[in-house]
Amino acid sequence: SQTSPTALGHLRVLEVVDDVGELCGKTLADMGASVTRVEPPGGAATRHIGPFLEEEPHPERSIHFWTYNTNKRSITLDLDKPDGQALFRRLAEQADIMVESMPPSYMDERGLSYDDLRKVNSRLVYVSVSAFGRGGPRGGMAGGDLVGWATSGFMYVTGWTWQPPTRPWGRQASNTGCMYAVGAATAA
C-alpha cells in the first residue's frame, strides 16, 4: 500500500508529559511525526480522566486519553530507576525532538535534562512546556490549566461581578501553551 507524504514524517519525537503537555505530541503526531510517549509503570495518570467508553471507568477506556494520544506509540519506562533512565537515553539518541511537561526539576533529578541529553544527541530539540518557564523568579512553581488562567487575569474578566471568577471551558491555557511549543519545535 502507498502512503501519502506527511509534513513531519521524517521526525522522531520522544514525549514525557502530564496533562499539560499531551496536545503538543498529539499535534506533532497528527502532522506525521513518529511520537513515542513514555508512560510510568501503571500508565499515565490521564488514563484515569473521564469520560469513559460506555461509562465504565478503566485506564484502557478513557476517551480523554484516546483523544490526546491518537497517532502516538507508547512505552512504559520507570524513569525513577537507572535502567529506565538508560533506556530513555538510548531512545533520545535517535530522537529529533523531546517534549516534556513534567513538574519543575523532574527531568533534572533523573539525569534527563537538556544538558544531560545533548551529551548523547547534540542535535536534539528539547521542548519544555511549563507553567512559568524553567528559570526566573517563578520558574520552580508548579501550575496547570487553572493556574494559567488565574495568573493571566483571564478569570478576572469572566463571569459576573456578583459571583466568583469563572473558569474557562476545557484546557485552553494548556492547549495554547502546546501550540506555541509545536511552533517553537518545528522552527528549531
Side-chain angles (χ1 to χ4, degrees):
S1 93
Q2 187 176 9
T3 59
S4 299
T6 60
L8 303 181
H10 60 291
L11 296 178
R12 290 184 184 177
V13 179
L14 194 53
E15 179 186 75
V16 181
V17 297
D18 56 9
D19 62 317
V20 171
E22 284 180 313
L23 184 64
C24 186
K26 177 193 173 14
T27 303
L28 294 168
D30 288 350
M31 291 191 290
S34 175
V35 178
T36 302
R37 178 168 184 171
V38 175
E39 295 188 59
T46 56
R47 288 181 175 275
H48 301 280
I49 297 174
F52 297 95
L53 179 65
E54 297 174 354
E55 298 181 28
E56 183 183 324
H58 189 277
E60 298 296 331
R61 300 175 73 84
S62 169
I63 295 170
H64 169 91
F65 184 83
W66 294 343
T67 300
Y68 281 92
N69 291 280
T70 55
N71 296 324
K72 296 179 190 178
R73 293 181 177 93
S74 189
I75 184 172
T76 301
L77 290 178
D78 190 345
L79 297 180
D80 292 331
K81 302 247 166 99
D83 288 347
Q85 296 162 5
L87 184 51
F88 186 85
R89 282 187 203 87
R90 284 184 42 212
L91 292 169
E93 287 176 14
Q94 302 302 315
D96 299 294
I97 300 171
M98 203 287 288
V99 178
E100 68 92 6
S101 67
M102 301 308 285
S105 75
Y106 179 90
M107 299 299 281
D108 296 348
E109 291 169 357
R110 287 154 182 81
L112 304 172
S113 69
Y114 170 72
D115 289 330
D116 296 317
L117 294 180
R118 76 177 180 172
K119 292 174 187 171
V120 299
N121 182 349
S122 62
R123 62 180 178 70
L124 182 68
V125 174
Y126 193 105
V127 178
S128 182
V129 180
S130 64
F132 299 103
R134 297 296 184 201
R138 293 185 180 173
M141 293 175 63
D145 207 63
L146 184 60
V147 171
W149 286 121
T151 58
S152 71
F154 191 81
M155 288 177 64
Y156 180 76
V157 298
T158 61
W160 295 266
T161 57
W162 60 87
Q163 291 182 335
T166 303
R167 180 186 195 275
W169 177 83
R171 293 168 49 190
Q172 297 175 35
S174 299
N175 291 347
T176 300
C178 284
M179 292 296 95
Y180 281 113
V182 168
T186 55

